[in-house]
């Protein structure tokens, strides 16, 4: 492609538009550049891409577009009308942006801040290798949601373990880009906090803000945006025939008026330019006012406009600050408002409560006007440029520009209608939230359209005592809907908001429990613990000591079950105190007794793990790679003495039985979780796997349950089968699927592991955090030997991991090791090194060096014909590495170690085989590995070939193919073909 690599970002934009068959003039209008500049770029592209003409260039653009379509690109909003003038302002603001990292374009509404910022951003696009991103903050009513709006513009989903601000900073950490935040005045505090964090974390990011007020932070540099230039005194409008680049000496205000009036189909005669100049002067050079006046030219003419401006223009009440903000724009808006009949005036001010595009039926509900008259009135307002119109499959929608919307809100206040209109809007939002709880194929799009309205209504209602009950209802509904939409950070925030608005302590406790469950889904263990404790306090205030006992016991058991989610380790004495308080409050309540039994079982298991390691005091303290109770929980360990694993099993079985008798599937699931861990540490991996499967089956078949405030919310959203429960049920199911996958891998049930892992990867709550969703699937596909499936999962995993900010978490180690192994099996050393670098980054702990890392390395070394290296890699005795292999890797480690002993000719190979045969009994894959090694030691070819069928039956096609090659002779070619079919390279000969 010649010099295609040297194509600049601006040339790429031009190339794309050439591919869309736009003319040079249309491209110039779209990109805010002159036709001459477009011609220069087209000539450069013809040379760089080595194509003969524009037609060939368009074909090349189409090819390039198809190649890049999968990757979202930064973009500025499409401009529907040409940008007029402001050459000096563009140059000054561009220069300031080059010198400072955050610049605020400051000015009153209607002065043209947004259009100027877009022009400057387009001018500067070539200077930023990662482009320009535009974020419209108009719909954002909550300052805390600024980061969410930016994340949505960047195409980011929420990342577990990170709030939105952290996710944005992670995504932009190494980017060289310009971020344009438009209309910040109503969220100044939120924008300031967000930008302070962003600029500190992203050294190559620059930010251009438009706002009516300063952010008032030290790193801000302000550029006051002036009104459009007016003709000098006595000048009849100057040269108004310029191209629009601002360099011809004409008045920008006059040229803007002429351009907009001409676009209406009524060109002005040059003799009229003087009269145009007078109109622009009376409008103070305000861009919005001039555009509104020009839009009336076809019906009023210049004389009519001049006559209308002769009427006194009333200012808004509210003091000098309101006058200062609205002085120039207010003149145009009042003038336009005065041309409306009373019914249309009322309609304009009442629809100003909508912050997003709305339909005519929605406007009728909120205004209380007749539906037919509302439809007619909206059409008239749209015709007068007071509302923008968009057409979509679900109907016509209207939207007031932000300046007009705020103007209407001020008019509502003047008319004394603000409270009643807002109240109707609140009721409308409550009705929409109820509708969104019903199933629909387009649910996601419907929620996205309604969400900002719900947030705006809640922001208004939450501080009004008379609306407290409705605000509570809306906060809870928004929390539930946000969770279904996978906006789990907002869901937690809204549940906490609903708790603060609740009328009774019992309702407060219920909302705090939901918030705690959402925090658990986010991997925020400290929040989960804080909110669980707060729920217990609220339950005590409500006089519900049994509920308080359940909350306290849950806080203790969660600390044991999910220790890796905590930043602050929970001291053993604090967990003991929680259990003691729960015991005092539980009484004879069955649910409280079941919760208490679970907490005691978790404590027993933790102490049993410490007992199992005689050198626990000197053992490494790394965080375990998963939240299964099979992993040690260092912060709660009490030392080398205490209950045995079998005693922990008995304690967990008691908790399971009490939960079963109580009829609570979530409590039973939690108890089964602890039981699976206790069984694993007691050495019964198969019972642990069966328990994990039982847990998933329980959660998958459990009914939604009651819908009262103390029960998990059960929205009938279109995400079955996962919509049958709220945050607590969702969290339990996600954890259960992960546990079932890992337990199945531990006992050689590869079909089961792949089944659970695929179900986990398809879980909608994890749809936007692919590394968490696909990690276990990647491991299962690798152990099965399906390279193509593993590579597909690996791409998803790595891309999502990078978007999440490249977190270093031990749980990500096994997927990274699996991908390194796959690339080794494919003889791709460069890719293997790349994944090994990632592995070292995410997990340098003994789980890698002594556990799963040894297993994956041994698989590859044996494939490469390096049995001695595999034997050295698995040199420690299984008992020495039990802490790092229990739960998943013990059988794999033992079997591979035995095979390496045989192939390396170790003198104790027979003894190791005998020990391994006993250790892995019942595991189909590990048993076949040991049987194959035995056949190799005995030179028993028929028995060796029999293991190939055993591997096939166990779902391990890679080891089946490997067996054929080890058998040699006529079987070698068939084994090599099988490996090729799996996407793997040939295996080294024995």
């Amino acid at each position: 492609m010649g010099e295609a690599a040297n194509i600049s970002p601006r040339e790429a934009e031009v190339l794309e538009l050439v591919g869309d068959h736009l003319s040079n003039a249309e491209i110039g209008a779209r990109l805010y550049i002159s036709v001459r500049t477009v011609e220069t770029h087209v000539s450069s592209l013809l040379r760089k891409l080595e194509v003969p003409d524009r037609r060939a260039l368009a074909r090349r653009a189409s090819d390039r577009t198809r190649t890049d379509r999968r990757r979202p690109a930064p973009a500025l909003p499409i401009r529907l009308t040409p940008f007029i003038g402001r050459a000096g302002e563009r140059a000054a603001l561009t220069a300031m942006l080059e010198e400072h990292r955050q610049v605020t374009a400051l000015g009153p509404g209607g002065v043209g801040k947004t259009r100027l910022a877009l022009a400057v951003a387009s001018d500067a696009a070539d200077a930023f290798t990662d482009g320009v991103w535009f974020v419209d903050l108009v719909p954002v009513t909550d300052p805390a949601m600024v980061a969410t709006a930016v994340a949505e513009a960047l195409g980011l989903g929420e990342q577990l373990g990170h709030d939105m601000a952290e996710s944005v900073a992670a995504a932009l950490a190494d980017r060289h880009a310009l971020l344009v935040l438009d209309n910040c005045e109503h969220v100044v505090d939120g924008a300031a906090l967000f930008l302070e964090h962003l600029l500190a974390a992203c050294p190559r990011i620059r930010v251009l803000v438009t706002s009516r007020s300063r952010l008032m932070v030290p790193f801000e540099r302000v550029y006051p945006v002036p009104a459009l230039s007016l003709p000098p005194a006595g000048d009849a409008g100057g040269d108004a025939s310029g191209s629009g680049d601002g360099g011809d000496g004409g008045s920008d205000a006059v040229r803007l008026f002429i351009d907009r009036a001409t676009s209406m189909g009524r060109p002005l005669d040059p003799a009229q330019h003087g009269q145009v100049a007078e109109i622009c002067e009376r409008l103070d050079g305000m861009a919005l006012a001039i555009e509104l006046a020009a839009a009336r030219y076809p019906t009023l003419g210049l004389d009519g406009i001049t006559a209308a401006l002769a009427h006194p223009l009333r200012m808004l009440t509210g003091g000098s600050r309101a006058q200062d903000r609205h002085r120039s724009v207010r003149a145009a808006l009042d003038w336009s408002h005065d041309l409306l009949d009373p019914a249309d005036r009322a309609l304009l001010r009442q629809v100003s409560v909508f912050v997003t595009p709305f339909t005519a039926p929605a406007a009728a509900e909120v205004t209380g006007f007749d539906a037919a008259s509302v439809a007619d009135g909206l059409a008239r307002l749209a015709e007068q440029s007071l509302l923008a119109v968009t057409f979509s499959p679900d109907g016509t929608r209207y939207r007031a520009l932000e300046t007009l919307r705020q103007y209407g809100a001020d008019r509502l206040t003047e008319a004394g209608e603000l409270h009643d209109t807002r109240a109707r809007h609140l009721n409308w939002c409550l009705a929409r939230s109820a509708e969104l709880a019903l199933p629909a194929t387009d649910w996601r799009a419907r929620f996205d359209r309604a969400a900002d309205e719900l947030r705006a209504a809640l922001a208004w209602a939450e501080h009004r005592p008379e609306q407290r009950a409705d605000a509570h209802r809306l906060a809870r509904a928004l929390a539930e809907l946000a969770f279904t939409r996978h906006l789990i950070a907002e869901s937690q925030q809204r549940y906490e908001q609903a708790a603060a608005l609740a009328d009774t302590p019992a309702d407060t406790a219920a909302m705090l429990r939901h918030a705690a469950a959402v925090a658990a889904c986010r991997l925020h263990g400290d929040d989960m613990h804080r909110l669980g404790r707060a729920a217990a306090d609220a339950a005590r205030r409500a006089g519900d000591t049994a509920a308080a006992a359940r909350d306290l016991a849950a806080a203790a058991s969660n600390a044991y079950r999910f220790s890796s989610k905590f930043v602050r380790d929970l001291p053993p004495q604090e967990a003991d105190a929680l259990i003691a308080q729960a015991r005092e409050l539980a009484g004879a309540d069955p649910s409280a007794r079941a919760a208490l039994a679970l907490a005691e079982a978790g404590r027993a298991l933790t102490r049993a793990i410490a007992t199992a390691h005689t050198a626990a005091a000197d053992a490494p303290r790394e965080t375990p790679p998963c939240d299964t109770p099979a992993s040690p929980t260092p912060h709660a360990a009490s030392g080398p003495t205490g209950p045995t694993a079998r005693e922990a099993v008995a304690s967990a079985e008691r908790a399971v039985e009490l939960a079963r008798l109580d009829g609570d599937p979530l409590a039973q699931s939690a108890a089964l979780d602890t039981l699976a861990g206790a069984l694993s540490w007691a050495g019964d991996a198969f019972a642990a796997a069966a328990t994990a499967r039982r847990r998933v089956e329980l959660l998958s078949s459990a009914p939604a349950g009651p819908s009262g405030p103390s029960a998990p919310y059960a929205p009938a959203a279109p995400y079955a089968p996962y919509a049958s429960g709220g945050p607590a049920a969702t969290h339990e199911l996600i954890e259960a699927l992960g546990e079932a996958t890992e337990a199945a891998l531990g006992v050689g049930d590869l079909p089961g592991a792949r089944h659970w892992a695929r179900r986990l990867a398809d879980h909608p709550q994890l749809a936007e955090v692919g590394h968490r969703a696909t990690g276990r699937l990647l491991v299962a596909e690798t152990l099965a030997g399906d390279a193509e499936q593993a590579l597909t999962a690996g791409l998803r995993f790595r891309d999502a991991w990078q978007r999440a900010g490249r977190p270093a978490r031990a749980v990500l180690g096994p997927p990274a090791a699996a991908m390194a192994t796959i690339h080794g099996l494919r003889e791709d050393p460069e890719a293997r090194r790349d994944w090994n670098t990632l592995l070292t980054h995410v997990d340098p702990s003994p789980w890698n060096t002594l556990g799963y890392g040894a297993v994956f390395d041994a698989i590859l070394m044996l494939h490469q014909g390096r049995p001695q290296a595999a034997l050295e890699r698995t040199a420690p005795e299984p008992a020495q590495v039990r802490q790092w292999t229990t739960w998943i890797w013990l059988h794999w480690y033992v079997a591979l170690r035995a095979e390496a002993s045989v192939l390396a000719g170790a003198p104790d190979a027979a003894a190791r085989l005998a020990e391994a045969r006993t250790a892995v009994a019942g595991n189909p894959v590990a048993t076949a590995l040991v049987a194959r090694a035995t056949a190799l030691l005995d030179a028993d070819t028929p028995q060796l070939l029999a293991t190939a069928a055993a591997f096939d039956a166990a779902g391990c096609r890679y080891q089946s193919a490997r067996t054929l090659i080890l058998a040699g002779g006529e079987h070698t070619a068939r084994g090599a073909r099988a490996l090729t079919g799996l996407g793997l390279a040939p295996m080294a000969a024995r």
Side-chain angles (χ1 to χ4, degrees):
M1 190 178 284
E3 299 181 30
N6 296 323
I7 292 177
S8 70
R10 173 48 55 80
E11 288 173 339
E13 291 176 330
V14 172
L15 178 60
E16 182 179 357
L17 296 177
V18 168
D20 291 338
H21 304 290
L22 270 63
S23 68
N24 286 352
E26 290 171 326
I27 294 173
R30 184 74 62 85
L31 299 180
Y32 300 81
I33 58 179
S34 68
V35 174
R36 184 173 300 173
T37 302
V38 175
E39 291 171 352
T40 301
H41 286 312
V42 170
S43 297
S44 176
L45 288 167
L46 290 171
R47 175 178 54 79
K48 289 183 177 182
L49 298 180
E50 301 176 353
V51 294
D53 53 32
R54 192 183 185 94
R55 180 176 298 178
L57 193 63
R59 287 196 297 270
R60 182 62 59 83
S62 298
D63 294 342
R64 184 184 180 95
T65 300
R66 283 193 297 271
T67 301
D68 295 339
R69 189 161 290 159
R70 292 172 301 172
R71 185 183 300 277
L76 295 173
I78 296 174
R79 184 183 56 178
L80 300 179
T81 56
F83 184 77
I84 303 297
R86 290 200 183 274
E89 293 94 322
R90 288 168 77 168
L93 187 52
T94 299
M96 183 176 286
L97 195 59
E98 290 173 353
E99 185 176 356
H100 304 289
R101 295 192 60 207
Q102 192 270 301
V103 177
T104 299
L106 188 69
V111 76
K113 301 183 297 295
T114 298
R115 295 293 296 267
L116 177 60
L118 287 172
V120 169
S122 181
D123 291 342
D126 286 346
F128 293 90
T129 55
D130 293 308
V132 180
W133 297 92
F134 180 86
V135 184
D136 183 7
L137 296 179
V138 167
V140 180
T141 56
D142 183 350
M145 299 300 293
V146 170
T148 298
V150 175
E152 290 173 354
L154 296 175
L156 299 177
E158 179 155 3
Q159 309 298 333
L160 294 180
H162 296 275
D163 62 23
M164 278 299 192
E166 291 172 337
S167 297
V168 172
L172 298 178
D174 58 351
R175 299 297 183 92
H176 181 219
L178 173 63
L179 186 65
V180 181
L181 298 185
D182 193 34
N183 294 300
C184 282
E185 55 270 2
H186 57 303
V187 288
V188 165
D189 292 340
L193 288 173
F194 167 74
L195 290 179
E196 184 174 12
H197 174 72
L198 180 73
L199 294 173
C202 308
R204 302 179 69 204
I205 290 295
R206 294 191 180 241
V207 182
L208 177 58
V209 168
T210 74
S211 180
R212 296 186 184 186
S213 58
R214 291 180 293 165
L215 301 185
M216 301 295 289
V217 289
F219 51 83
E220 180 185 35
R221 294 297 181 271
V222 175
Y223 176 78
V225 178
L228 291 170
S229 64
L230 296 167
D235 192 331
D239 178 10
S241 61
S243 66
D245 287 344
D248 58 9
S251 160
D252 288 341
V254 170
R255 290 167 52 210
L256 175 62
F257 188 103
I258 293 172
D259 178 86
R260 300 303 189 256
T262 302
S263 69
M264 299 289 145
R266 291 281 302 275
L268 285 96
D269 188 274
Q272 298 176 294
H273 292 180
Q275 194 174 1
V276 170
E278 293 177 5
I279 292 173
C280 292
E281 287 178 352
R282 297 186 66 177
L283 294 176
D284 297 318
M286 298 299 288
L288 178 58
I290 292 169
E291 295 210 22
L292 289 171
R296 298 312 251 168
Y297 169 69
T299 55
L300 294 177
L302 295 181
D303 291 340
I305 294 173
T306 301
L309 291 177
H311 294 288
L313 301 177
R314 294 183 295 272
M315 298 299 291
L316 283 172
T317 58
S320 60
R321 183 174 182 273
Q323 295 169 6
D324 205 27
R325 290 177 60 198
H326 296 285
R327 187 188 311 275
S328 298
V329 175
R330 177 71 192 213
L333 295 179
D334 275 346
W335 162 76
S336 183
H337 180 268
D338 289 343
L339 297 177
L340 301 176
D341 63 39
D344 286 352
R345 293 178 191 175
L347 179 61
L348 178 63
R349 63 178 177 262
Q350 295 206 29
V351 298
S352 69
V353 296
F354 288 102
V355 298
T356 60
F358 57 90
T359 63
E365 285 189 54
V366 170
T367 62
F369 298 156
D370 173 74
S373 64
V374 166
D376 290 341
L378 292 175
R380 287 191 296 272
L381 293 174
E383 289 170 359
Q384 298 175 60
S385 301
L386 293 171
L387 293 177
V389 184
T390 57
F391 301 97
S392 60
D394 65 333
T396 304
R397 291 182 174 271
Y398 301 88
R399 182 187 181 217
L401 299 177
E402 176 63 10
T403 304
L404 289 166
R405 196 183 71 80
Q406 293 185 3
Y407 174 85
D410 291 339
R411 285 289 189 174
L412 269 181
T413 301
E414 286 182 351
E417 300 168 349
L418 181 62
H419 184 278
D420 290 345
T421 306
R422 288 283 191 187
R424 288 194 297 270
H425 180 256
L426 174 62
N427 290 333
W428 180 83
C429 288
L430 285 167
R432 298 294 78 72
S433 67
E435 291 175 0
L436 286 169
L438 301 175
T441 56
D442 61 342
W443 184 90
R444 179 169 178 161
R446 291 173 57 223
F447 171 82
D448 289 347
R449 286 195 299 267
D452 282 323
E453 293 294 344
L454 304 186
R455 293 164 181 151
L458 179 58
W460 174 78
E462 68 173 330
H463 300 299
R464 288 164 175 77
E466 73 279 8
Q467 302 292 345
R468 184 183 183 89
D470 285 340
H472 167 73
R473 289 173 54 207
L474 187 55
R476 174 177 178 173
L478 191 51
E480 295 159 349
L481 295 168
F483 187 82
T484 304
R485 182 59 177 83
H486 319 313
L487 300 174
I488 56 177
E490 181 179 4
S491 179
Q492 179 183 331
Q493 173 196 352
R494 300 304 178 187
Y495 273 125
E496 293 192 55
Q497 191 175 16
L501 291 167
D503 287 333
T504 67
D507 286 344
T508 297
M511 295 299 99
L512 290 171
R513 290 181 197 114
H514 291 319
V518 177
C521 291
R522 300 178 64 207
L523 302 183
H524 286 195
D526 298 85
D527 273 2
M528 172 183 65
H529 187 72
R530 169 182 62 83
L531 293 164
R533 296 287 300 270
D537 292 341
R540 283 180 177 176
R541 294 195 302 273
D544 191 346
T545 56
R550 291 195 299 270
D551 293 328
L552 292 168
S557 61
N558 286 342
Y560 295 126
R561 293 175 64 204
F562 310 122
S563 62
S564 69
K565 292 186 170 111
F566 284 74
V567 175
R568 178 189 74 92
D569 287 345
L570 190 70
Q573 59 270 24
E574 185 174 338
D576 290 342
L578 291 173
I579 293 175
Q581 294 174 47
R583 187 180 295 112
E584 291 177 4
L585 298 172
D589 181 80
S591 297
R593 288 169 58 85
L596 183 59
L598 174 60
E600 292 170 338
R603 178 169 60 184
L605 173 57
T606 300
R607 292 178 176 176
I609 293 171
T611 300
H613 300 284
T614 56
D618 299 323
R621 297 285 182 168
E622 290 84 353
T623 301
C626 59
D627 277 328
T628 64
S631 301
T633 50
H635 70 268
S638 59
T641 61
T644 65
R646 279 296 165 192
E647 290 171 331
V649 169
S651 181
E653 287 175 338
R654 176 174 178 272
V656 171
E657 180 61 16
L658 288 176
R660 186 190 66 79
L661 293 173
D662 188 43
D664 183 349
L666 298 189
Q668 194 174 348
S669 167
L672 288 171
D673 180 21
T674 301
L675 176 59
L679 288 168
S680 178
W681 275 96
D684 196 341
F686 298 99
T691 301
R693 290 195 301 271
R694 176 182 167 193
R695 181 184 176 201
V696 175
E697 291 161 2
L698 169 72
L699 292 170
S700 300
S701 61
S707 58
S710 63
Y713 174 65
Y719 296 131
Y722 304 109
S724 60
T730 298
H731 180 241
E732 277 294 324
L733 182 57
I734 289 173
E735 295 294 332
L737 289 170
E739 181 182 68
T741 299
E742 294 174 344
L745 290 173
V747 296
D749 179 12
L750 293 180
R754 296 170 84 181
H755 168 75
W756 301 126
R758 286 169 182 157
R759 189 171 168 188
L760 183 66
D762 291 338
H763 197 292
Q765 193 62 51
L766 303 179
E768 296 178 355
V769 281
H771 60 296
R772 178 172 169 83
T774 59
R776 292 180 179 90
L777 178 60
L778 178 53
V779 171
E781 300 289 11
T782 298
L783 292 176
D786 195 329
E788 297 301 327
Q789 293 293 332
L791 289 171
T792 299
L795 288 174
R796 291 175 56 192
F797 174 88
R798 184 163 194 141
D799 181 64
W801 175 73
Q802 289 174 333
R803 285 189 284 108
R806 299 177 174 85
R809 294 176 60 85
V811 71
L812 305 177
M819 280 307 299
T821 299
I822 282 291
H823 285 294
L825 295 173
R826 289 171 56 84
E827 294 185 355
D828 188 344
E830 184 177 351
R832 173 169 167 77
R833 283 193 298 272
D834 192 29
W835 279 96
N836 273 329
T837 299
L838 190 158
L839 172 59
T840 302
H841 171 74
V842 300
D843 185 20
S845 76
W847 275 279
N848 173 9
T849 55
L850 299 176
Y852 65 83
V855 169
F856 281 116
D857 284 349
I859 289 173
L860 179 60
M861 291 169 177
L862 291 171
H863 180 91
Q864 294 171 334
R866 301 165 55 208
Q868 186 61 42
L871 185 60
E872 293 171 1
R873 186 71 177 86
T874 56
E877 292 294 327
Q880 293 178 292
V881 295
R882 183 169 183 260
Q883 183 174 358
W884 320 114
T885 58
T886 293
W887 183 245
I888 301 177
W889 306 107
L890 181 60
H891 290 177
W892 293 91
Y893 185 92
V894 169
L896 291 167
R897 185 171 183 265
E899 179 176 330
S901 298
V902 171
L903 293 176
D908 60 347
R912 289 192 178 186
L913 282 173
E915 293 174 359
R917 194 174 296 113
T918 301
V920 305
N923 182 320
V925 178
T927 296
L929 286 170
V930 174
R932 183 175 67 192
T934 301
L936 290 169
L937 183 64
D938 297 339
D940 187 343
T941 300
Q943 184 59 37
L944 179 63
L945 291 173
T947 63
F951 284 122
D952 283 331
C956 193
R957 295 168 60 200
Y958 163 70
Q959 293 294 352
S960 175
R962 174 173 160 76
T963 300
L964 296 175
I965 296 175
L966 288 171
E970 61 182 346
H971 307 291
T972 302
R974 188 155 59 96
R977 288 195 299 271
L979 284 179
T980 301
L982 292 171
L984 302 176
M987 191 183 84
R990 177 159 60 104

